[in-house]
Amino acid sequence: MRATSEGATRRLGLRLGGSWLGLVPFFAFALLFLFLPILYLATGAFQNAAGEFTLANFAELATPNLRAAYSLSVRLSLVSAALGTITGVLLGYAVILGGLPRWVRPVFMTFSGVASNFAGIPLAFAFIATLGRIGLLTMVLRDVFGFNLYGAGFNLFSFWGVALTYLYFQMPLMLLIVAPALDGLKTEWREAAEILGASRRQYWLRVALPILMPSILGCFLLLFANAFGTLATVYALTGSRFAVVPIVLYQQIQGNVLYNPNLGYALAVGMVVIMAVSNTIYLVLRTRAERWRT
């Protein structure tokens, strides 16, 4: 009996060992491409070109140009995250709870999985070809409908133009991450509200939205972090004229004129702090939201 027990324990240990072995690639990638780079950035941010300890790099973050870069990045991320959250929730309601044909949901979810990862130069080119000054939609509006889009004040290469471009991947990402929360709304809650005399509007304002709000706010923060770290899309769309933090950081590390790697490391550490705070609050809100799924 004792030998049987020892054999079972040994087999269990081997299974657990095999399970932990499957996590090795993840931990290796996390160590090589997340933790070690962050440690390298943090070390370089407190050094000057000679390798000596200094706080000058962080003090320089308070200069007007760098404050303006952070302000622009935060405002752009907030606006694009807000637009993505609102449109994503409305899209999610229509697709998941709107009573549309059953084939609509898998089509939209599949497309969202692709669109949420479609960014960078291809996305910028697509918007330029569609909404640029001689883009397809711009020309159709002008020649067919007599409406001059740019004459009315629109500019794809402005703040709102970039925010609109971000919306292409922010809205489908919102749909993907808010879908489980919408699926978690139980039919019993709506039926109970109706039995107690609540209208559809009262049910959404007093029951559904309070339950969904932690998930919605958490998704908003995730979209904010997603937009804050975007470089390729805005750089391909506007070049270096739109001085968000990732572009300024790129100029400090790779540029010929503004070359100052240690200042770039300090900029990156500032971005890491903002992203870490945003993601931490997201995890707290997600934990709060998950209690309704039990």
Side-chain angles (χ1 to χ4, degrees), residues 6-287:
E6 291 177 352
T9 302
R10 189 178 300 109
R11 287 194 297 271
L12 178 61
L14 290 174
R15 286 199 300 270
L16 290 177
S19 299
W20 281 105
L21 185 63
L23 296 178
V24 170
F26 168 79
F27 287 121
F29 273 93
L31 178 65
L32 292 174
F33 299 105
L34 180 61
F35 295 109
L36 290 181
I38 291 177
L39 180 63
Y40 178 77
L41 290 174
T43 302
F46 287 99
Q47 295 178 342
N48 57 22
E52 301 169 338
F53 177 83
T54 181
L55 295 175
N57 297 317
F58 287 99
E60 196 167 345
L61 296 183
T63 58
N65 289 339
L66 297 185
R67 284 206 316 267
Y70 273 105
S71 174
L72 179 59
S73 289
V74 170
R75 286 186 288 113
L76 179 61
S77 300
L78 287 174
V79 169
S80 68
L83 292 175
T85 299
I86 294 171
T87 56
V89 169
L90 293 176
L91 180 61
Y93 173 81
V95 171
I96 298 172
L97 303 175
L100 297 174
R102 295 182 61 181
W103 60 266
V104 172
R105 176 170 179 169
V107 169
F108 270 82
M109 298 301 286
T110 302
F111 172 78
S112 296
V114 176
S116 61
N117 292 286
F118 185 71
I121 295 176
L123 178 61
F125 174 78
F127 268 80
I128 292 172
T130 304
L131 286 172
R133 291 189 177 275
I134 56 173
L136 177 62
L137 183 58
T138 306
M139 293 293 99
V140 170
L141 290 175
R142 188 193 68 183
D143 299 337
V144 177
F145 298 97
F147 178 72
N148 189 336
L149 186 62
Y150 280 78
F154 175 79
N155 186 358
L156 179 62
F157 311 104
S158 65
F159 177 90
W160 289 102
V162 175
L164 178 65
T165 307
Y166 279 20
L167 186 61
Y168 184 89
F169 56 80
Q170 294 281 62
M171 180 171 58
L173 178 60
M174 182 66 187
L175 173 61
L176 291 175
I177 56 183
V178 83
L182 292 172
D183 281 326
L185 290 176
K186 298 180 181 179
T187 306
E188 293 87 345
W189 299 339
R190 178 178 55 80
E191 293 174 347
E194 291 175 352
I195 291 173
L196 294 173
S199 64
R200 187 179 183 86
R201 179 173 177 272
Q202 288 173 325
Y203 162 72
W204 276 100
L205 289 178
R206 300 186 180 183
V207 179
L209 280 179
I211 292 173
L212 291 174
M213 194 52 64
S215 295
I216 293 175
L217 292 177
C219 294
F220 169 82
L221 290 170
L222 195 61
L223 294 185
F224 171 85
N226 186 49
F228 193 81
T230 299
L231 167 63
T233 300
V234 64
Y235 189 80
L237 196 63
T238 65
S240 58
R241 294 179 289 108
F242 206 74
V244 293
V245 175
I247 288 181
V248 176
L249 189 158
Y250 176 80
Q251 292 173 337
Q252 296 295 339
I253 294 178
Q254 297 290 340
N256 295 323
V257 178
L258 301 176
Y259 184 73
N260 187 348
N262 296 103
L263 177 58
Y265 299 154
L267 284 165
V269 169
M271 291 184 64
V272 169
V273 171
I274 293 175
M275 302 274 277
V277 171
S278 176
N279 288 327
T280 300
I281 299 175
Y282 161 72
L283 292 175
V284 172
L285 291 171
R286 191 183 72 173
T287 302

